[in-house]
Amino acid sequence: MGNYIIRKVLTLIPMMLVISFLIYLGMELMPGDAIDFLIPPDALSTMSPEQLNAMREALGLNDPFFLRYLKWLVGMLHGDFGYSLQSGVPVITLMKNHLPATIELTFTALLMSSVFGILLGVICALKKGTLLDQFLSILGMIGVAVPQFLLGLIFIDAFALHMGILPVGGRMAYAGQNFLQRLPHLIMPATVLGFSLTAGVMRYGRSSMLDSMGHDYMKTARSKGLPEWRVNLLHGLRAAMTPVVVLVGFRLPMLIGGAVVVEEVFQWPGIGGLFVSAVRSQNTPLVMIIGFFSVLMVLVASIIVDIITAMLDPRIKLS
């Protein structure tokens, strides 16, 4: 397994180089540049071409595209991620301030959706054809179909405005620093973010569990006189978890991307709103580091999924 991980990590290097170049190229192809967003339109019309050129020179925008990319790449390899073109704050400082909130939100949503999705999927499989199975299946289809922003607005209206049992938005109350103090603010955004994933995990878990229940090894386990709960949980569930783990593992990076909408709805101070603002203003250093981090999450998730599936299914060999 050690050799497999080393080979996988080594393959990440050229992939990250190619992807980072494509992200930088995408920012370059956008109309205008950062100056057009930094200066208000009325002030922009009063400035001379010499002044505008001096500002672009100071920000390095006059350099050729490949030179700017190489400067960014060399700086990143030396731990220098640059400065925000909007605020002048180091990019690493902005990431330190906003990334913990996004990680807290996404991992809470992933944990909730995995636990409830697997549990409900197993229940649906064991209660196949019953009213409970039909109800949960319909609920799962609704969960996949309903947009996150709409679900978020419904939650705010119901639980914050009408019932008043949860805060409307934000990450913490005044002077609230620990997790328990932040928990009331976390419940709604984490539930909304994880709702569609819960539905997906439930449907995958149900199908996979039904498939494993029909295999010969399940019949053999029953013929040995093992209790039904042990047959289902220790034999059926383990075999059924392989496709579910793949789904959950690859949904983690998607949760970080999907957090953009949820963070905007609930005013959650994560990297979602930061990324949207950076793209709109062509804040290239900030867009690059957030995009780089998101892509890295996808590639790392693929390695983790391969390792976990090999541990769950002995027939899978890492090579």
Side-chain angles (χ1 to χ4, degrees):
M1 183 178 291
N3 293 333
Y4 171 81
I5 296 176
I6 293 174
R7 288 197 302 272
K8 279 290 187 178
V9 171
L10 291 177
T11 59
L12 294 183
I13 297 175
M15 294 174 66
M16 293 302 298
L17 287 174
V18 172
I19 293 172
S20 67
F21 176 79
L22 293 177
I23 296 175
Y24 208 99
L25 179 62
M27 293 297 297
E28 177 70 14
L29 295 177
M30 291 181 64
D33 56 26
I35 297 296
D36 298 324
F37 295 90
L38 289 173
I39 304 174
D42 53 346
L44 188 65
S45 60
T46 62
M47 298 182 66
S48 65
E50 291 76 15
Q51 291 174 311
L52 294 175
N53 187 66
M55 292 186 65
R56 288 189 171 91
E57 188 69 31
L59 294 175
L61 300 178
N62 284 340
D63 294 334
F65 165 72
F66 286 102
L67 180 58
R68 281 186 280 122
Y69 172 72
L70 289 176
K71 284 183 178 180
W72 172 83
L73 184 61
V74 171
M76 189 196 67
L77 294 176
H78 287 83
D80 179 14
F81 298 101
Y83 295 82
S84 169
L85 299 182
Q86 287 177 294
S87 61
V89 178
V91 168
I92 192 65
T93 301
L94 293 174
M95 291 294 291
K96 287 180 180 178
N97 292 339
H98 291 80
L99 187 58
T102 295
I103 291 177
E104 182 179 84
L105 174 61
T106 53
F107 273 88
T108 303
L110 185 68
L111 179 62
M112 292 172 56
S113 61
S114 300
V115 172
F116 287 107
I118 293 173
L119 178 62
L120 294 176
V122 172
I123 292 174
C124 287
L126 297 179
K127 301 293 183 180
K128 179 186 177 183
T130 63
L131 186 61
L132 179 61
D133 177 33
Q134 295 175 4
F135 172 75
L136 291 176
S137 298
I138 293 173
L139 191 63
M141 289 187 288
I142 294 174
V144 174
V146 176
Q148 290 179 335
F149 77 90
L150 178 59
L151 187 62
L153 295 176
I154 293 174
F155 271 52
I156 291 174
D157 183 66
F159 298 106
L161 300 181
H162 281 79
M163 299 183 187
I165 58 177
L166 292 173
V168 175
R171 188 185 180 202
M172 62 183 66
Y174 295 107
Q177 297 298 324
N178 61 56
F179 181 77
L180 291 178
Q181 292 173 314
R182 296 196 299 268
L183 186 58
H185 295 259
L186 181 62
I187 292 175
M188 283 201 297
T191 303
V192 170
L193 184 60
F195 190 70
S196 61
L197 178 57
T198 301
V201 171
M202 182 186 71
R203 296 176 67 183
Y204 266 79
R206 179 185 183 277
S207 301
S208 186
M209 188 69 182
L210 286 174
D211 180 66
S212 66
M213 289 171 65
H215 287 176
D216 291 338
Y217 59 80
M218 295 286 286
K219 300 176 183 177
T220 303
R222 290 191 180 94
S223 67
K224 292 180 179 180
L226 295 177
E228 188 66 19
W229 67 267
R230 187 171 182 179
V231 174
N232 290 325
L233 294 181
L234 297 186
H235 295 274
L237 184 60
R238 180 178 178 181
M241 282 301 97
T242 301
V244 177
V245 167
V246 174
L247 173 67
V248 171
F250 283 109
R251 282 292 180 92
L252 176 57
M254 294 176 64
L255 280 178
I256 295 178
V260 173
V261 176
V262 175
E263 288 178 1
E264 286 292 312
V265 172
F266 290 97
Q267 294 300 297
W268 190 263
I271 61 173
L274 192 67
F275 182 71
V276 172
S277 174
V279 172
R280 288 174 177 171
S281 60
Q282 294 194 17
N283 194 341
T284 303
L286 190 53
V287 171
M288 288 301 300
I289 190 60
I290 296 177
F292 194 84
F293 170 78
S294 300
V295 172
L296 182 63
M297 287 292 295
V298 175
L299 298 178
V300 171
S302 68
I303 298 176
I304 295 175
V305 167
D306 289 344
I307 294 173
I308 294 178
T309 51
M311 294 172 62
L312 290 173
D313 192 343
R315 295 172 299 177
I316 298 176
K317 303 297 182 182
L318 296 178
S319 58

